[in-house]
């Protein structure tokens, strides 16, 4: 329907195997989903929102994204460390508070840049933008960890736990901070799409590269994966 | 002859350590070889077939039933959303502060740990608890450690464990209960210290993970997860389920199996409309068998090992050797056994769910220590083993689910559980020696 769906007409990547081509096509198809959908998936992936409707999660994802996009752009003060262990750990970047440090995983950043080319997503993610997005993203965690931002985010989401008279106690929504950080990165770095789309695409192609199952089997996935922010049986670890 | 038995035991430990043979099989083989060395006849009284294999296999039957009931109750806590609701409430109320969430999940793990043990307990608390902690910024090793420390804090009140110690050490349940009540404060204090100190030391951590936005829609999930999803939150009084068996066994001194059964009934009554009850009970019971399979296989083989080391020939052979090396002075007792703590790790010789059970049995039947002192030793080692052993299923599961290695979890938790063991040994030496 849209120009993005090019599965039929795209030139087949001659050298890579069928599963690689299929994964690339699957990654490309992810662009058909809107950015809020990735927010919903992120919230679902926390395992803390069962029994909540997609509509509810979608509204939370939108509110969190709006909150993040509206945060003032600030350069983080944390130390920046670069290393190449990202593929092994399944991480693109990480913020730790003690001491305040932003870790950038250069192998995954490089892979992300290559994927943007492979998928012809340059218009959305300009050269070098993934690294910038990672810095902007982690700066949000830094800001929220040390300021009143988390309470503001809770109010923005409006998940009421108790209310008494005019006052209300708003609950923490697991995953909202992450969505806000991604939306902030998207806004600050003027990305055409959410970094979550690129993250999901990366995961799709890396999954097929490590596990190498037939395209059909990749659909079902490991039973427990939905609950875990990292692979439970650690297929990544096994390859070492 | 005693030396030969010790050599065989060492070889067995080596086989388990190197993972050449699964523990359950290794213990059976050990049991048979020890019986042969001890000069047991093929059949008849005190024999290899009738005593070691036939009687030994069912020696821990009551423990196995308790394990099945605990696993059943665990499955109910999972399927009815009781465990998940507890964790979700904690995150909603305390999510801005990682340490509050970690302490809350620790409390849930402790409750769960009183109902069921090992990997099922870790999964029950951890499937939702570990991602919840990671989502609020708790580092992965701390998250996995929190689940394990929490379960271990509940372990002194884990009813199947009472049954195990009672049968294996031939002690009345009331004696086991009496010691466990003294051990519990150490386990709880260590668990709370672990969370408070480790969250301080390591701070918070937020990862841009590749898996973060790849959740499958509920339709693709397992059926149990889908059922849980439709259910939403469990009612507040259903959340009391984990304490029901505990109150009965601890407060009213009811026997272990009926206490656990009462928990099962309470869980289903408070969560399930009458027309669905029998279906849900049967389904979760069968699912409980599945998770109970590994511990039951282990308890069959431990029973066989126990029967072998309790043969008159084994006791006579081992008594002089064990007597020479076992400290009788209370201070020396504490020092020696604290130093030996690492021997309960990596399927080592003091692992209570392995060769350690056999050694404990020798200590009692050879009259080296009073049974209560041996209970103190084994229960204290159990606190270490239950958290820090990188080869035990709950540690492996929790670590891998959090995305770290079991060795990392061991390194982080061992100092704390070592202190628990020290406390347990001190109580033992002061009270029972
Ligand atoms: Zn983040």
């Amino acid at each position: 329907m849209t120009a993005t769906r090019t599965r039929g007409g795209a030139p087949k990547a001659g050298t890579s195997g069928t599963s690689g081509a299929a994964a690339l096509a699957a990654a490309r198809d992810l662009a058909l989903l809107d950015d809020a959908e990735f927010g919903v998936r992120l919230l679902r992936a926390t395992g803390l929102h069962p029994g909540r409707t997609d509509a509810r999660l979608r509204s939370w994802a939108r509110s969190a994204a709006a909150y993040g996009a509206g945060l003032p752009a600030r350069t983080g003060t944390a130390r920046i460390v670069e290393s190449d262990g990202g593929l092994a750990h399944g991480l693109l970047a990480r913020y730790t508070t003690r001491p305040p440090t932003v870790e950038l995983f250069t192998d995954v950043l490089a892979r992300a840049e290559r994927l943007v080319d492979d998928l012809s997503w340059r218009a959305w993610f300009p050269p070098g933008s993934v690294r910038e997005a990672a810095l902007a993203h982690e700066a949000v965690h830094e800001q929220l960890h040390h300021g009143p931002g988390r309470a503001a985010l809770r109010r923005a989401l409006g998940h009421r736990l108790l209310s008494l008279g005019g006052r209300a106690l708003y609950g923490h929504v697991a995953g909202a901070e992450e969505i806000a950080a991604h939306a902030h990165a998207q806004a600050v770095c003027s990305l055409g799409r959410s970094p979550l789309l690129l993250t999901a695409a990366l995961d799709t192609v890396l999954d097929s590269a490590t596990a190498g199952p037939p395209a059909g089997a990749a659909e079902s996935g490991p039973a427990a994966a939905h609950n875990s922010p990292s692979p439970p049986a650690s297929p990544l670890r096994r390859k070492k | 002859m005693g030396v030969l038995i010790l050599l065989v035991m060492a070889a067995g430990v080596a086989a388990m350590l190197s993972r050449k043979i699964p523990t359950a099989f290794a213990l059976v083989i050990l049991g048979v070889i020890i019986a042969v060395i001890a000069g047991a006849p093929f059949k008849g009284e005190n024999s290899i077939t009738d005593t070691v294999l036939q009687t030994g296999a069912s020696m821990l039957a009551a423990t196995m039933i308790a394990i099945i009931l605990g696993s059943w109750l665990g499955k109910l806590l999972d399927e009815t959303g009781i465990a998940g609701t507890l964790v979700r409430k904690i995150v909603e109320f305390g999510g801005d502060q990682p340490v509050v969430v970690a302490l809350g999940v620790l409390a849930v793990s402790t409750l769960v740990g009183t109902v069921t043990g090992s990997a099922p307990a870790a999964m029950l608390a951890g499937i939702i608890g570990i991602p919840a902690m990671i989502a609020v910024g708790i580092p992965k090793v701390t998250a996995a450690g929190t689940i394990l420390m929490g379960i271990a804090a509940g372990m002194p009140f884990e009813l199947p464990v009472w049954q195990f110690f009672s049968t294996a050490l031939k002690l009345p349940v009331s004696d086991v209960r009496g010691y466990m009540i003294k051990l519990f404060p150490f386990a709880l204090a260590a668990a709370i210290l672990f969370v408070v100190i480790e969250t301080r030391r390591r701070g918070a951590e937020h990862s841009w993970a590749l898996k973060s936005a790849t959740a499958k829609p509920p339709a693709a999930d397992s059926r149990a997860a889908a059922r849980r999803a439709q259910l939403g939150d469990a009612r507040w009084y259903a959340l009391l389920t984990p304490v029901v068996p505990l109150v009965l066994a601890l407060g009213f001194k009811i026997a272990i199996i009926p206490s656990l059964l009462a928990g099962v009934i309470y869980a289903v009554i408070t969560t399930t409309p009458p027309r669905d009850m029998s279906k849900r009970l049967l389904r979760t019971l069968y699912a409980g068998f599945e998770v109970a399979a590994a511990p039951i296989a282990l308890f069959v083989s431990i029973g066989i090992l126990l029967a072998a080391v309790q043969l008159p020939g084994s006791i006579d052979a081992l008594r002089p050797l064990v007597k020479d090396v076992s400290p009788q002075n209370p201070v020396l007792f504490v020092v020696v056994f604290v130093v030996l703590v690492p021997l309960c790790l990596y399927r080592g010789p003091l692992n209570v769910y392995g060769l350690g059970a056999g050694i404990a049995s020798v200590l009692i039947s050879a009259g080296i220590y009073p049974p209560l002192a041996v209970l103190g030793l084994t229960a204290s080692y159990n606190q270490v083993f239950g958290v820090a052993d990188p080869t035990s299923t709950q540690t492996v599961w929790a670590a891998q689910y959090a995305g770290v290695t079991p060795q990392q979890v061991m390194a982080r938790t061992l100092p704390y559980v070592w202190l628990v063991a020290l406390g347990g040994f001190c109580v033992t030496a002061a009270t029972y020696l």
Side-chain angles (χ1 to χ4, degrees), chain A residues 144-156:
Chain A
L144 293 191
H145 186 81
H146 298 286
R150 285 200 178 129
L153 175 59
R154 270 192 287 131
R155 274 195 300 280

Side-chain angles (χ1 to χ4, degrees), chain B residues 86-165:
Chain B
L86 284 168
V87 174
R88 284 199 298 278
K89 290 288 165 211
I90 289 161
V91 171
E92 287 183 7
F93 278 92
D96 286 3
Q97 281 172 313
V99 67
V100 173
V101 173
L103 284 172
V105 174
L106 181 80
V108 173
S109 310
T110 303
L111 276 179
V112 163
T114 65
V115 171
T116 176
S118 184
M123 289 166 85
L124 190 50
I127 280 186
I128 297 174
I130 288 176
M133 285 188 278
I134 292 174
V136 299
I138 297 285
K140 292 172 175 180
V141 181
T142 314
T146 299
I147 295 289
L148 296 167
M149 293 295 295
I151 290 166
M155 220 150 52
F157 294 141
E158 188 191 340
L159 303 187
V161 168
W162 288 11
Q163 187 67 61
F164 169 62
F165 283 133

Side-chain angles (χ1 to χ4, degrees), chain A:
Chain A
M1 202 166 119
T2 52
T4 6
R5 187 185 278 278
T6 52
R7 186 186 287 180
K12 279 258 156 86
T15 46
S16 62
T18 39
S19 82
L24 209 57
R28 185 172 283 123
D29 282 355
L30 288 171
L32 299 173
L33 303 165
D34 69 347
D35 285 346
E37 169 62 23
F38 292 103
V40 172
R41 291 183 178 196
L42 189 147
L43 292 172
R44 284 252 181 263
T46 63
L48 291 165
H49 307 294
R52 294 201 166 119
T53 61
D54 271 357
R56 179 92 187 259
L57 296 188
R58 184 165 274 267
S59 123
W60 278 348
R62 284 191 200 285
S63 306
Y67 176 83
L71 283 174
R74 285 213 321 213
T75 325
T77 56
R79 188 167 63 108
I80 297 169
V81 177
E82 299 194 354
S83 73
D84 61 358
L87 285 171
H89 291 103
L91 298 178
L92 189 145
R94 174 159 65 183
Y95 173 70
T96 51
T97 60
R98 239 161 226 246
T101 307
V102 172
E103 286 173 84
L104 297 176
F105 296 100
T106 47
D107 52 348
V108 174
L109 289 177
R111 187 69 188 83
E113 290 287 346
R114 213 154 26 96
L115 182 63
V116 170
D117 281 332
D118 289 349
L119 296 169
S120 315
W121 285 357
R122 269 297 163 216
W124 291 337
F125 305 99
S129 63
V130 187
R131 188 179 189 281
E132 267 180 65
L135 289 173
H137 174 117
E138 303 305 339
V140 172
H141 289 307
E142 186 183 346
Q143 193 179 336
L144 293 191
H145 186 81
H146 298 286
R150 285 200 178 129
L153 175 59
R154 270 192 287 131
R155 274 195 300 280
L157 292 173
H159 174 37
R160 229 172 246 263
L161 294 179
L162 304 164
S163 45
L164 205 77
R167 296 174 58 85
L169 176 64
Y170 294 106
H172 178 96
V173 174
E177 180 171 327
E178 193 61 10
I179 295 173
H182 281 299
H184 182 74
Q186 181 181 1
V188 170
C189 305
S190 313
L191 307 179
R193 291 292 307 265
S194 167
L196 277 170
L197 166 62
L198 184 56
T199 308
L202 256 178
D203 187 48
T204 305
V205 294
L206 289 176
D207 243 13
S208 86
T210 43
E219 296 296 314
S220 55
H226 68 283
N227 277 322
S228 172
S230 44
S234 286
L236 292 166
R237 202 170 299 285
R238 218 175 291 134
K239 135 195 101 131
K240 276 201 285 199

